[in-house]
Amino acid sequence: MTIRHHLTDALLMAYSAGQLPEAFSLVAATHISLCDECRARLSAFDAVGGTLIEDCDPAAMDEDSLTATLARLTGAPARPRQVDRPARGLFPAPLRDYVGGDLAAVKWRPVGLGVRQAILPTAPGGVARLLYIPAGQAVPDHGHRGTELTLVLQGAFRDESDRFGPGDLEVADQGVEHTPVAEADADCICLAATDAPLRFNSLLPRLAQPFLRM
Amino acid sequence: MQKADALVPVSAYVARAALGRLAAEGSVKVSETEPDWAALVIRVRDHGDTQAFAALFRHFAPRVKAFLMKSGAGAALAEECAQDVMATLWQKAHLFDPARASVATWVFTIARNRRIDTLRKARRPEPEDLPWGPEPEPDQADAFELAEDTRRLGEALAQLPEKQRALIERAYFGDLSHTEIAAETGLPLGTIKSRIRLALDRLRQSMT
């Protein structure tokens, strides 16, 4: 798999810092599972976090803190294990976790013109969905106001500017007008994430505030 | 293999703490050299060494607690989470790879995930684990060079203009939303990336 379109530095840093909405983190984790270049770039951003931890002025621990922690360590540390790899399917592990299986486990719903989608369960702040676009079909307008990430898992699509094949990630910021079309020779399956529409952003936290004390 | 018996490590811990106090008062000279944290994690992994764990705890737990408090946790919650993070270090010592991360970096990733679980009550999907190759022991030279790169990164961070450093801190302490984060750090991240990329390439080759 030759990947030509990657996560941006800003997205990688936000993923490393733990600041991405869950839906975006899912796309980032799935892309990184396929892309050693972004895995290495992520490690560099994680090293920034490590340096910041190292530089923190130490906070005083409770007096019995170490004793309490030692008392919780039951038994020896786990041993390295040779992991049996599951038969390689289409979805990397983080995506399989959200779907509850591989491609066959997806609960598709038709959204018109042969296109199907499946919304995946993530925390408020973004929406993650799988898209199934028949060969040669244009992706219907799914109007996004913020950033949209689209990761190709199978097949390929083209828009006015470029081609996106398996493993490629398109980052479309607000205002990007584009009409992606699945290539003619194969159906295209993508994982896409958008910022949640603003009306959800403003309403949900307000309702949740009294209960969660946010 | 030692048992997780509190007596020995605690006395060692107390002795070290006392030494630290004396050093702070200037009555005892302690080496300026950083302990080899990676070697201590390996001792935890291979021997369940509670003294090595105590030394790691003494250095990292107060920093993890400070990190969590800067991220908005109260002292009690930060204490509890810092203990969880250190317990995770014990349990998952076999996942630590000094050719791919310093101990501080690895501790950061554990603390960050704990923060997302606890403070944001969300999940953070993780990339698929890389399978173990036939040679799970990392190359010593790789680990040494990565440690050098990480040390240089720390120096570069310390030398950044205050404004820029503050922005990076706010991003990692959870004070900036993802749309506010700009990744122009001016930090030497390319060398670390290249080194880890080479290690990953070798791992892939050994798997085929």
Side-chain angles (χ1 to χ4, degrees):
Chain A
M1 183 181 304
T2 308
I3 297 175
R4 292 172 48 237
H5 301 279
H6 299 273
L7 284 159
T8 62
D9 279 346
L11 283 165
L12 271 170
M13 187 172 173
Y15 179 62
S16 170
Q19 296 306 107
L20 282 184
E22 189 178 334
F24 282 19
S25 287
L26 175 59
V27 178
T30 305
H31 175 76
I32 291 163
S33 300
L34 300 168
C35 178
D36 281 350
E37 179 68 12
C38 286
R39 193 185 283 266
R41 289 165 67 211
L42 174 68
S43 298
F45 282 112
D46 285 347
V48 176
T51 303
L52 290 172
I53 282 247
E54 187 66 47
D55 287 354
C56 272
D57 286 332
M61 300 298 289
D62 290 356
E63 206 165 317
D64 63 347
S65 190
L66 175 62
T67 319
T69 308
L70 284 166
R72 287 173 44 189
L73 306 177
T74 48
R79 306 303 305 160
R81 282 168 301 164
Q82 191 84 33
V83 184
D84 286 333
R85 315 295 298 163
R88 185 84 220 187
L90 181 62
F91 298 163
L95 181 55
R96 276 203 306 273
D97 284 351
Y98 277 76
V99 169
D102 206 60
L103 184 56
V106 179
K107 296 182 181 64
W108 296 108
R109 291 181 183 279
V111 291
L113 299 170
V115 177
R116 290 177 280 166
Q117 76 166 9
I119 307 268
L120 303 175
T122 55
V127 175
R129 74 190 80 212
L130 282 162
L131 285 168
Y132 190 105
I133 308 140
Q137 178 67 51
V139 180
D141 181 21
H142 43 275
H144 55 92
R145 297 192 205 165
T147 303
E148 181 183 44
L149 309 182
T150 309
L151 171 65
V152 178
L153 298 161
Q154 177 189 295
F157 70 81
R158 285 177 185 276
D159 66 9
E160 290 78 354
S161 62
D162 224 325
R163 173 186 191 271
F164 296 83
D168 280 335
L169 179 83
E170 184 188 46
V171 181
D173 285 320
Q174 188 164 20
V176 171
E177 290 283 335
H178 67 150
T179 314
V181 179
E183 285 192 337
D185 54 344
D187 295 346
C188 181
I189 298 173
C190 299
L191 172 65
T194 48
D195 293 287
L198 286 176
R199 57 181 179 279
F200 288 120
N201 267 345
S202 57
L203 187 60
L204 269 183
R206 203 165 59 229
L207 285 177
Q209 269 168 15
F211 307 106
L212 299 179
R213 291 188 207 152
M214 281 158 63
Chain B
M1 183 162 301
Q2 294 186 21
K3 282 191 174 163
D5 181 338
L7 290 175
V8 174
V10 169
S11 58
Y13 172 72
V14 171
R16 281 164 183 277
L19 194 63
R21 273 198 302 277
L22 291 171
E25 290 159 11
S27 51
V28 170
K29 278 216 158 81
V30 176
S31 165
E32 291 288 319
T33 334
E34 278 270 286
D36 185 349
W37 303 121
L40 293 176
V41 175
I42 304 296
R43 273 164 58 190
V44 167
R45 182 193 73 187
D46 291 347
H47 307 292
D49 184 334
T50 48
Q51 291 195 41
F53 179 77
L56 289 160
F57 187 98
R58 189 166 63 89
H59 182 76
F60 286 107
R63 287 170 170 79
V64 170
K65 186 172 178 180
F67 166 74
L68 293 167
M69 288 173 74
K70 286 187 180 188
S71 301
L77 182 61
E79 168 78 30
E80 184 192 324
C81 291
Q83 291 187 20
D84 290 345
V85 167
M86 296 311 292
T88 302
L89 178 148
W90 171 276
Q91 280 142 11
K92 299 200 170 168
H94 65 286
L95 295 178
F96 173 65
D97 178 352
R100 280 165 53 194
S102 72
V103 177
T105 298
W106 186 53
V107 166
F108 159 73
T109 62
I110 300 172
R112 170 202 61 206
N113 292 355
R114 195 72 182 80
R115 182 184 75 195
I116 295 172
D117 283 352
T118 306
L119 299 186
R120 284 185 34 197
K121 311 232 186 297
R123 290 170 68 188
R124 181 182 187 275
E126 292 282 320
E128 190 161 304
D129 282 340
L130 291 175
W132 290 90
E135 295 169 54
E137 280 305 314
D139 190 275
Q140 291 293 313
D142 284 352
F144 176 78
E145 282 165 3
L146 182 68
E148 279 297 293
D149 291 342
T150 309
R151 189 184 56 72
R152 276 194 287 275
L153 172 63
E155 285 171 8
L157 192 65
Q159 284 161 15
L160 281 183
E162 183 51 40
K163 247 187 182 170
Q164 200 172 350
R165 187 190 157 90
L167 266 181
I168 294 174
E169 285 184 353
R170 286 178 60 200
Y172 280 82
F173 295 145
D175 215 15
L176 289 180
S177 80
H178 76 97
T179 52
E180 295 171 298
I181 289 177
E184 290 299 318
T185 60
L187 294 170
L189 299 178
T191 48
I192 295 183
K193 188 226 89 177
S194 303
R195 205 174 299 290
I196 291 169
R197 183 68 213 270
L198 283 174
L200 290 173
D201 287 348
R202 275 204 299 277
L203 178 62
R204 295 287 184 204
Q205 277 164 16
S206 74
M207 279 158 53
T208 52

